[in-house]
Amino acid sequence: MTYDGDLTSDALSKAVERHAAKHSTANDSKVIPINIDSREAAPASAREMAEIKRFLRANNGSRALVFWPTTDEEIASDMVSSYEAIAGKQPIELPLIVEGPLRDSWVDIAKNTVTLVNRVDSIELLANPADYDPAKYVSLGEFLRQISTDFRTRRVALLRSTKKPLKLTVLFACESAEPGVLSQLTSSARFGLLDASALVHVTQNSELGRWWASRRGLLTQAIVQLDAHAFVAPPALFIPILRSYAPEAVMNDLLSLGTSKKSPNELIAIMARSDVGRHLLGERRSAYETRGNPGENSRIAYSLLVSQGYIHNGKDKALNKAVAEGLHQLFTERSASMEMKAEKKLAFVDLIPDVIFEDEDIAHCLEFAWRSGDHLRATNRSDISTYILNKLRNYSRCMGWTDD
C-alpha cells in the first residue's frame, strides 16, 4: 500500500482498513507493507515517529510493515536513531540496505532499457551509456534517468533539425467583423499571437484545459515554435474571394443576392489590407486592425451560405480551398513563390492541415473554423479556446514534442 497522507496513528489505521477491505479476505493474517514514498528527503519528526510507534502497536498496525525508502544513508541512520529512542532497540538491524544490480552491469541495463522503451536501435549514436560513469550516480534509477533525459533531448533536437519550420494560423470565419474575444486570447504586444495563459485559464475546468495546464512549458514552446496566431476572417474579406474562386453553386447563390465580382486588383487590395493578409505577407503589427469595404452586404451573403449548409458536413472544404486560392494570388502578386495545397499531407510530418502555403524554406498551415452568426462573442470564449488548444495539441503530437 502506497501512503502519502498525514502520519498519524488514526489516519494510518483507516488507510489500512480501506486497503484490507479491497485486497484481503476475512480473517486474513497477511502482513500489509506500507510504502511512505513521498517523504524521501523529509525525515519524520519526533511527533510523527511517536505516531508510527503507536500505529504499529495498535490492532491494524500489528499486521503492517512500514517502509520509508531513501537513497540517503545519513537520513536513514538518523531516522533509525530517532525511532529507537522512542520505541527501543528493534529485533532486526536497521536501516535495511537494499542491494540492486552490480554497478558494472548498469551500462548494459541502460542500453537495453532505453532501446526497448524508445523502440530504436543504436541508441549510442545519441546517448551512449558507456560514456556515463555509474560511480557518479547514487542509484540505478538516477543513472537511467540521466541517460534517458539526454537521449530524448538529443532526439527531439535531431527531429527538429530535419523538419521544415512550420507555422500555424487559425482563421475564424463568421459574421464577426471585429476580433471580439480573440483580443483576450492573444498577445497585447503582437497582434494575433496566441496567449498561453489566457487559453488555459478559459478552459481550466475541462479535460483539455487540465492537460495543457500540466504542460505549460510545452504550450509556450508550441506557440513559439509554430508562431501560432489566430485571426478573424470577416465576410468583407472572404465573400469577395468566394465570388471569384468558389465552386459554381456557391457563386450562383452569391450572384442571386447581387454580390458583384471584384476585379483582380480590387481583390488583391482587400486581401493585402486585411489582418490575415498582412500576417501571411510577414507584416508585423501590434494591434488588430480590421478594415475593408462596408460589410453589411457581405454579412447577408454569408448568412445565406450558412442557411444553405455550406459550412457543415465537410462542405466547408470547398470554401477553404476557394479562400486559399484567393490568398495564393496575393502571394503571387507580391512575388512570393509559395505553393498552395488544400487537404494534403505534409511531406515531413504526419499532418493534414486545411490549407498549406509552402516553399523550400517554410510551411505555413491555415486551419479554418467556419461558424454561424457573430461567433466571436464572449459567450463563445470557451468554445474558441478549446478549438485552438485542440489544434495545438494535435500539432505538438505530430511534431513529436509530446508522446501523450
Side-chain angles (χ1 to χ4, degrees):
M1 181 185 91
T2 299
Y3 183 80
D4 60 2
D6 293 335
L7 285 176
T8 67
S9 177
D10 290 341
L12 285 164
S13 293
K14 289 177 181 177
V16 167
E17 285 180 8
R18 290 192 297 269
H19 183 83
K22 288 182 180 179
H23 302 285
S24 302
T25 58
N27 301 318
D28 192 342
S29 60
K30 291 177 183 174
V31 172
I32 297 176
I34 302 173
N35 188 21
I36 313 295
D37 199 24
S38 58
R39 293 276 301 273
E40 180 175 336
S45 65
R47 182 185 180 89
E48 288 174 326
M49 286 291 192
E51 289 289 338
I52 292 173
K53 170 195 168 185
R54 180 182 164 210
F55 163 69
L56 290 172
R57 294 185 178 182
N59 184 45
N60 282 325
S62 64
R63 297 176 48 221
L65 182 63
V66 175
F67 287 93
W68 194 297
T70 177
T71 57
D72 190 313
E73 248 182 284
E74 185 176 347
I75 289 178
S77 297
D78 289 345
M79 286 185 64
V80 169
S81 299
S82 299
Y83 186 75
E84 290 187 343
I86 295 171
K89 186 69 176 175
Q90 298 303 297
I92 60 174
E93 189 68 28
L94 295 176
L96 291 175
I97 307 298
V98 180
E99 297 290 345
L102 296 175
R103 287 179 185 267
D104 59 9
S105 68
W106 286 12
V107 169
D108 288 336
I109 291 173
K111 182 175 181 179
N112 292 331
T113 302
V114 181
T115 299
L116 288 172
V117 169
N118 293 279
R119 300 178 183 176
V120 296
D121 296 323
S122 304
I123 68 158
E124 60 272 10
L125 296 176
L126 291 176
N128 188 355
D131 294 337
Y132 296 78
D133 182 3
K136 293 182 178 180
Y137 300 89
V138 174
S139 66
L140 174 59
E142 183 180 318
F143 181 72
L144 286 170
R145 276 192 298 274
Q146 184 61 59
I147 297 173
S148 178
T149 298
D150 290 348
F151 175 81
R152 287 197 306 270
T153 301
R154 294 165 190 171
R155 179 173 177 267
V156 169
L158 181 62
L159 286 172
R160 286 179 182 167
S161 70
T162 58
K163 289 177 180 175
K164 185 179 293 186
L166 202 65
K167 285 190 175 184
L168 170 64
T169 297
V170 181
L171 296 180
F172 288 89
C174 57
E175 291 183 17
S176 303
E178 301 294 333
V181 296
L182 289 182
S183 297
Q184 302 168 23
L185 302 176
T186 54
S187 169
S188 59
R190 282 186 56 192
F191 96 119
L193 183 68
L194 295 174
D195 185 321
S197 297
L199 291 167
V200 170
H201 176 72
V202 171
T203 57
Q204 59 186 327
N205 295 322
S206 68
E207 178 277 330
L208 180 64
R210 290 190 293 272
W211 192 91
W212 275 119
S214 64
R215 299 166 177 81
R216 292 295 292 272
L218 173 63
L219 180 55
T220 300
Q221 172 197 323
I223 291 172
V224 172
Q225 287 286 123
L226 295 169
D227 192 27
H229 284 65
F231 300 101
V232 56
L237 167 64
F238 61 77
I239 288 297
I241 297 176
L242 294 178
R243 181 66 181 81
S244 295
Y245 294 99
E248 185 177 356
V250 176
M251 284 191 185
N252 289 338
D253 283 334
L254 294 176
L255 183 61
S256 69
L257 289 176
T259 305
S260 61
K261 188 173 183 178
K262 303 293 183 183
S263 70
N265 287 338
E266 288 177 314
L267 204 51
I268 292 294
I270 291 172
M271 292 186 289
R273 66 176 178 242
S274 69
D275 287 336
V276 62
R278 290 176 177 229
H279 177 64
L280 291 174
L281 292 173
E283 297 181 16
R284 297 285 186 181
R285 295 189 56 79
S286 59
Y288 281 96
E289 183 180 335
T290 305
R291 297 189 294 175
N293 296 327
E296 183 60 21
N297 290 339
S298 295
R299 188 191 65 77
I300 293 172
Y302 183 58
S303 295
L304 173 65
L305 296 184
V306 171
S307 66
Q308 297 289 78
Y310 287 115
I311 70 170
H312 302 296
N313 302 322
K315 294 182 179 179
D316 59 347
K317 289 180 172 55
L319 303 186
N320 296 344
K321 185 175 181 181
V323 173
E325 287 177 349
L327 292 172
H328 189 234
Q329 291 305 308
L330 176 62
F331 277 118
T332 303
E333 175 72 16
R334 296 301 171 90
S335 301
S337 56
M338 283 282 191
E339 181 183 1
M340 189 277 288
K341 301 175 184 176
E343 301 292 334
K344 299 291 185 181
K345 180 180 176 297
L346 284 160
F348 58 93
V349 65
D350 190 17
L351 195 64
I352 305 178
D354 288 339
V355 170
I356 309 164
F357 290 113
E358 186 175 12
D359 61 16
E360 61 183 14
D361 297 320
I362 197 166
H364 197 144
C365 303
L366 270 61
E367 299 288 357
F368 288 83
W370 295 88
R371 298 290 187 268
S372 60
D374 184 13
H375 188 72
L376 298 180
R377 295 173 296 176
T379 51
N380 295 321
R381 186 183 290 109
S382 178
D383 175 76
I384 293 166
S385 299
T386 297
Y387 181 86
I388 292 172
L389 287 176
N390 264 320
K391 290 295 180 185
L392 287 172
R393 180 160 69 175
N394 185 36
Y395 274 67
S396 296
R397 284 170 170 169
C398 290
M399 293 296 286
W401 298 335
T402 179
D403 295 327
D404 53 2

